[in-house]
Amino acid sequence: MHARVSVDPVSDDCLPVILVHGLGMSSRYMIPLAEHLAPHMRVYAPDLPGFGLSDKPSGALTVGELADALAAWMQEVGLERAAFIGNSLGCEVLVELAVNHPQLVDRLVLQGPTPDPEARGIIRQIAGFLLIAPFERWSLAWVALADYARGGIRRYIRTLRSMVDNRIAEKALRVSQPTLVVWGSRDYIVPYEFVTSLAGALPRGRLAVIPAAAHGINYSHPEAFTAVLLPFLLAARERQGAQGHIPRFGTG
């Protein structure tokens, strides 16, 4: 598994944060958010197996298998526990991780969680992606097309099938960690009714809304997203610092 890792020094007593990308994407579109978080904590942004620069298994992994792979990667790189931020499919992977590997998860952020149980069909999911396109940063389209080409259309479709068959709302009842659900008011893939229901189902859940944002908030609105994230991630344990500093990133 390939991962981007922040290299700026941070406080030793601050939990690392792991960013988990959505369907067909890679850690590349997580970079804007990672740059804003890196002054405060160590940031990891892996490419899930089959996507980005990570190895490509012969078959597409299910949501559960992707969560297991993420847990194995953490063990391999020596991360015992972390906070997590997921987008779209990444939210499903993180809920699975929190349920099946709870010792690894301190807290969760689910941004644009999928799938809405009322729009589980593949066609409706694709239609939602088309509806949000005008409200995303135009450059995200080029990042997405390159990532989709690298992963392959067959893997994309097979992973999408696993995604739409996954029942995140039912599994959320078993998530014991503090969880912040974040929704953009122009996210037409994920209805407001669904995120409010999901936040309410989570035993320690809460909801934050970012106005005028769509589905890829980590790429299009990193400053607004970070303002919502920091109080939750730092949990009054860390002092804020390095404001305005653009950190360096390495790969590994």
Side-chain angles (χ1 to χ4, degrees):
M1 283 178 64
H2 172 270
R4 290 178 164 86
V5 184
S6 62
V7 297
D8 279 24
V10 294
S11 174
D12 291 336
D13 61 352
C14 187
L15 275 171
V17 62
I18 299 174
L19 313 182
V20 182
H21 61 79
L23 176 63
M25 302 295 286
S26 74
S27 58
R28 286 204 305 159
Y29 85 124
M30 288 291 185
I31 291 175
L33 175 61
E35 289 179 338
H36 283 78
L37 291 175
H40 308 278
M41 59 200 68
R42 180 62 55 86
V43 182
Y44 296 80
D47 294 343
L48 295 173
F51 303 101
L53 298 178
S54 290
D55 287 348
K56 309 295 187 291
S58 57
L61 302 186
T62 65
V63 171
E65 290 170 337
L66 290 171
D68 290 341
L70 184 59
W73 170 80
M74 288 182 65
Q75 182 177 9
E76 190 67 25
V77 300
L79 291 173
E80 296 181 355
R81 192 171 178 86
F84 293 83
I85 302 171
N87 170 243
S88 197
L89 168 67
C91 298
E92 298 184 49
V93 173
L94 293 185
V95 167
E96 199 82 22
L97 185 75
V99 170
N100 294 328
H101 304 276
Q103 74 282 0
L104 301 177
V105 181
D106 182 83
R107 59 193 57 227
L108 295 173
V109 177
L110 308 178
Q111 189 266 298
T114 55
D116 169 23
E118 301 301 322
R120 299 177 66 85
I122 290 177
I123 299 301
R124 291 187 66 177
Q125 291 291 320
I126 293 175
F129 277 102
L130 295 176
L131 285 172
I132 63 168
F135 305 108
E136 302 283 11
R137 282 175 57 188
W138 68 269
S139 56
L140 180 58
W142 299 110
V143 175
L145 288 173
D147 282 344
Y148 293 167
R150 183 175 283 120
I153 188 63
R154 181 177 298 180
R155 188 181 307 277
Y156 180 96
I157 292 174
R158 288 179 177 176
T159 308
L160 177 60
R161 286 173 177 163
S162 177
M163 182 183 96
V164 299
D165 289 339
N166 188 48
R167 299 184 179 274
I168 187 175
E170 295 175 8
K171 296 175 182 178
L173 298 171
R174 298 158 54 197
V175 174
S176 60
Q177 299 88 342
T179 305
L180 178 65
V181 180
V182 181
W183 181 75
S185 63
R186 288 178 171 171
D187 188 346
Y188 301 124
I189 295 176
V190 185
Y192 179 70
E193 292 76 11
F194 174 61
V195 293
T196 54
S197 174
L198 181 64
L202 287 157
R204 301 173 69 184
R206 67 182 82 168
L207 175 66
V209 176
I210 298 181
H215 195 60
I217 297 175
N218 50 283
Y219 187 84
S220 63
H221 292 71
E223 291 184 4
F225 197 9
T226 301
V228 169
L229 290 172
L230 284 181
F232 178 73
L233 293 175
L234 299 177
R237 293 176 302 169
E238 279 289 298
R239 65 184 182 278
Q240 296 191 16
Q243 294 290 336
H245 174 57
I246 300 299
R248 305 180 306 278
F249 273 77
T251 59

